[in-house]
């Protein structure tokens, strides 16, 4: 019989051979759990884990959540048995090298010729690190980030005690150039944070136009592509699947954050920060008395804010990139072409539907829409969105899981002048089509939301 875990077992056998090079020893009785005890505990866990949405399934099309690639999981499992710590070379020589190689591949994808970079436990920590370098380089200045940038930039700027100014966004959710220009003219901004793929709707700031503006004012540019970064691969070729200009400009920016644990098929605990100028490593200097004694190389621990980090995370990413390289047509590119196509397909159906309106055409793979009602108030649309959301989850067979989003008038007023803003924001439906399998599910998802919209309309008091 075909055993899908066979590659994992073969890998574990190989690790067991390595361990067998050392003398056998007895596990202490305090740690020697019986098979029954472990089975009982794991069964109890499995029962508790049922309290989850089915993130693995294409019917889950809500938040940015999905399990890692099976290969990434196996690679993590293999390595976790050894449990190397990538805080320094002596914590895990093999996985430290794997991290260096995997990070170099990410840097190359963005077009960085030189780089200094490493993995982090998350996008938030990676951004914190980039903002910290921003502050060290411009100690008396603040940062600018769009209104739709990730909420943690404001929080991390607080931690760093540097001012964070929010720049308004246009009707596609992108940073407004006129507002940015006026702000930069004030001379108080040291670094602009641009977003390549906002968390809410996947908008990509006009990085190609922001960059020359920033340079003219001597301002640095940090790219937060925690969510969208891997889409860089689709900005290539004669007929790119996304607008290539902002993505190609990233090569000239100063730092980048990308989350392999979002679109990189990795388990959580895998963010990444990249700097174009390797000499920023000078800011990390420290002298810990009890690590870093086996090599003269610059250790990962000397270029990271964090100390202990899972070597297994680096191993999982390296192994994934070996099997699915960062290529435009195959490997990761082939995965993202499916998710991008799923979003275009669904957006097309929603645009043609009498029952819905699109919030914006999707720039990446996040689709946002709201029910088209006779009563065009923000409160009525919000109420109907809530009901559709609930009706989809309550379907007796094949429930559909979407997410919700609060949008401001600035995003919709130009395209939908009839909307009456009787409250500050409006609730709309949001779907992150992050799984390539979503592509085949789009017709089903669309029919389900149309059905839910009809049902809700029938029950709404006239
Ligand atoms: C998810 C996200 C973050 C935060 O990353 P975490 O890994 O969740 O800490 C930052 N910026 C953007 C654009 C994101 O989508």
């Amino acid at each position: 019989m075909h055993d899908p875990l066979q590659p994992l077992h073969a890998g574990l056998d190989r690790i067991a051979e390595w361990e067998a090079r050392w003398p056998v020893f007895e596990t202490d009785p305090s740690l020697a759990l019986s098979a029954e005890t472990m089975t009982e505990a794991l069964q109890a866990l499995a029962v508790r884990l049922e309290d989850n949405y089915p993130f693995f399934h294409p019917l889950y099309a809500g938040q940015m959540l999905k399990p890692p690639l099976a290969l990434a999981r196996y690679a993590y499992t293999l390595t976790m048995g050894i449990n190397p710590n990538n805080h320094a070379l002596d914590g895990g020589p093999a996985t430290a090298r794997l991290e260096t190689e995997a990070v170099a591949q990410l840097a190359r994808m963005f077009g960085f010729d030189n780089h200094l970079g490493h993995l982090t436990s998350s996008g938030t920590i990676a951004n914190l690190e980039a903002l910290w370098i921003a502050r060290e380089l411009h100690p008396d200045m603040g940062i600018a980030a769009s209104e739709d940038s990730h909420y943690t930039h404001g929080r991390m700027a607080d931690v760093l005690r540097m001012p964070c100014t929010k720049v308004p966004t246009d009707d596609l959710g992108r940073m407004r150039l006129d507002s940015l220009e006026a702000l930069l003219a004030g001379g108080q901004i040291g670094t602009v944070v641009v977003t390549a793929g906002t968390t809410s709707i996947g908008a990509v700031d006009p990085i190609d136009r922001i960059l020359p503006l920033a340079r003219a004012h001597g301002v640095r540019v940090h790219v937060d592509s925690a969510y969208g970064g891997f889409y860089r691969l689709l900005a290539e070729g004669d007929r790119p699947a996304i607008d290539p200009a902002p993505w190609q400009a990233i090569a000239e920016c100063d730092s980048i954050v990308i989350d392999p644990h979002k679109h990189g098929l990795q388990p959580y605990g895998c963010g990444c920060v990249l700097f174009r100028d390797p000499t920023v490593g000078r800011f990390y200097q420290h002298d810990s008395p009890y690590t870093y004694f086996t090599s003269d190389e610059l250790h990962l621990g000397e270029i990271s804010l964090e100390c202990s980090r899972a070597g297994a995370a680096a191993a999982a990413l390296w192994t994934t990139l070996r099997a699915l390289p960062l290529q435009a047509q195959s490997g990761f590119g082939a995965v993202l072409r499916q998710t991008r196509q799923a979003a275009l397909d669904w957006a097309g159906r929603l645009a043609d539907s009498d029952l819905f309106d699109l919030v914006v055409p999707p720039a990446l793979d996040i689709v946002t829409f709201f029910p088209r009602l006779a009563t065009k108030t923000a409160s009525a649309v919000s109420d109907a969105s809530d009901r559709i959301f609930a009706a989809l989850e309550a379907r007796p067979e094949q429930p559909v899981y979407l997410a919700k989003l609060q949008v401001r008038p600035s995003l919709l007023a130009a395209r939908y002048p009839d909307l009456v803003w009787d409250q500050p924001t409006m609730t709309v439906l949001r779907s992150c089509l992050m799984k390539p399998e979503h592509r085949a599910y789009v017709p089903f998802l669309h029919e389900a939301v149309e059905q839910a919209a009809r049902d809700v309309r029938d029950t709404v008091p006239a």
Side-chain angles (χ1 to χ4, degrees):
M1 213 184 75
H2 172 69
D3 176 8
L5 291 177
Q6 198 282 326
L8 174 59
H9 290 309
L12 287 169
D13 287 347
R14 191 74 193 244
I15 299 285
E17 283 171 27
W18 174 75
E19 289 183 345
R21 293 190 212 158
W22 286 270
V24 175
F25 67 97
E26 289 287 316
T27 299
D28 188 83
S30 65
L31 297 174
L33 299 176
S34 70
E36 291 75 31
T37 302
M38 289 201 275
T39 302
E40 189 282 326
L42 286 173
Q43 290 293 312
L45 170 65
V47 169
R48 294 295 294 268
L49 289 176
E50 285 176 18
D51 182 18
N52 263 309
Y53 296 97
F55 304 126
F56 70 98
H57 201 283
L59 286 171
Y60 184 84
Q63 310 281 2
M64 297 168 171
L65 294 161
K66 62 176 178 179
L69 183 72
L71 176 62
R73 200 162 19 141
Y74 299 166
Y76 201 103
T77 305
L78 270 194
T79 313
M80 194 172 45
I82 299 169
N83 207 23
N85 186 333
N86 276 16
H87 76 290
L89 210 47
D90 52 316
T95 47
R97 291 194 183 95
L98 296 178
E99 174 167 339
T100 304
E101 290 173 32
V103 167
Q105 292 181 59
L106 293 174
R108 263 201 305 281
M109 173 175 76
F110 288 110
F112 273 16
D113 298 329
N114 288 312
H115 74 277
L116 183 83
H118 59 87
L119 301 179
T120 61
S121 56
S122 71
T124 303
I125 296 299
N127 276 315
L128 169 65
E129 212 154 307
L131 297 188
W132 169 61
I133 294 295
R135 192 197 66 186
E136 295 303 293
L137 287 167
H138 291 294
D140 302 321
M141 294 185 176
I143 60 164
S146 95
E147 279 178 327
D148 291 346
S149 64
H150 200 264
Y151 71 94
T152 49
H153 292 295
R155 187 182 280 180
M156 290 304 155
D158 257 6
V159 170
L160 293 164
R161 297 207 184 284
M162 67 200 295
C164 173
T165 307
K166 290 290 164 75
V167 184
T169 46
D170 66 12
D171 61 356
L172 294 174
R174 305 169 305 186
M175 185 182 279
R176 287 184 59 133
L177 291 164
D178 51 357
S179 311
L180 178 66
E181 186 156 28
L183 180 63
L184 296 186
Q188 301 296 306
I189 301 297
T191 298
V192 184
V193 176
V194 295
T195 307
T198 56
T199 316
S200 53
I201 64 171
V204 180
D205 284 336
I207 304 170
D208 49 316
R209 303 179 61 195
I210 290 172
L211 189 67
L213 207 60
R215 293 297 185 236
H217 289 90
V219 168
R220 302 172 69 259
V221 179
H222 168 63
V223 184
D224 180 4
S225 68
Y227 179 64
F230 286 90
Y231 270 100
R232 175 65 185 82
L233 295 172
L234 297 202
E236 297 294 335
D238 297 338
R239 282 186 297 140
I242 53 172
D243 175 13
W247 297 94
Q248 286 165 356
I250 293 177
E252 305 299 320
C253 295
D254 298 290
S255 51
I256 308 173
V257 162
I258 179 171
D259 261 0
H261 70 202
K262 280 204 179 131
H263 249 308
L265 305 169
Q266 299 307 298
Y268 283 119
C270 196
C272 178
V273 63
L274 300 163
F275 296 96
R276 195 160 59 95
D277 174 8
T279 69
V280 299
R282 66 190 183 275
F283 293 113
Y284 288 88
Q285 277 174 11
H286 65 100
D287 48 1
S288 159
Y290 36 76
T291 49
Y292 323 126
F293 46 77
T294 57
S295 163
D296 297 332
E297 287 179 50
L298 195 64
H299 301 294
L300 288 166
E302 289 172 328
I303 53 158
S304 169
L305 280 186
E306 294 174 90
C307 182
S308 295
R309 289 183 302 108
L317 179 61
W318 183 90
T319 310
T320 301
L321 295 178
R322 188 177 172 97
L324 287 180
L326 295 173
Q327 289 166 357
Q329 298 296 334
S330 53
F332 262 90
V335 176
L336 293 169
R337 261 164 225 287
Q338 293 287 75
T339 55
R340 172 69 178 142
Q341 204 52 50
L344 289 174
D345 182 8
W346 199 1
R349 288 167 194 264
L350 288 161
D352 290 343
S353 166
D354 297 333
L355 296 168
F356 290 101
D357 283 310
L358 278 178
V359 174
V360 290
L364 301 177
D365 56 19
I366 303 175
V367 178
T368 48
F369 56 101
F370 57 96
R372 187 185 293 173
L373 306 178
T375 312
K376 297 200 180 300
T377 58
S379 58
V381 172
S382 298
D383 182 56
S385 295
D386 285 336
R387 286 158 175 266
I388 292 168
F389 176 86
L392 287 166
E393 281 200 10
R395 285 163 59 97
E397 277 165 38
Q398 310 213 44
V400 170
Y401 304 93
L402 299 186
K404 293 190 272 191
L405 174 69
Q406 300 292 323
V407 297
R408 290 185 305 269
S410 59
L411 193 61
L412 287 169
R415 270 186 309 283
Y416 301 103
D418 293 349
L419 280 174
V420 178
W421 292 86
D422 59 346
Q423 56 184 46
T425 62
M426 187 173 90
T427 308
V428 301
L429 296 160
R430 167 171 170 266
S431 175
C432 299
L433 298 170
M434 280 187 90
K435 293 178 274 248
E437 295 86 356
H438 275 137
R439 185 165 180 194
Y441 257 77
V442 161
F444 176 85
L445 294 172
H446 184 67
E447 237 168 73
V449 297
E450 284 210 316
Q451 186 59 51
R454 281 191 211 97
D455 292 351
V456 161
R457 185 184 273 185
D458 292 344
T459 60
V460 169

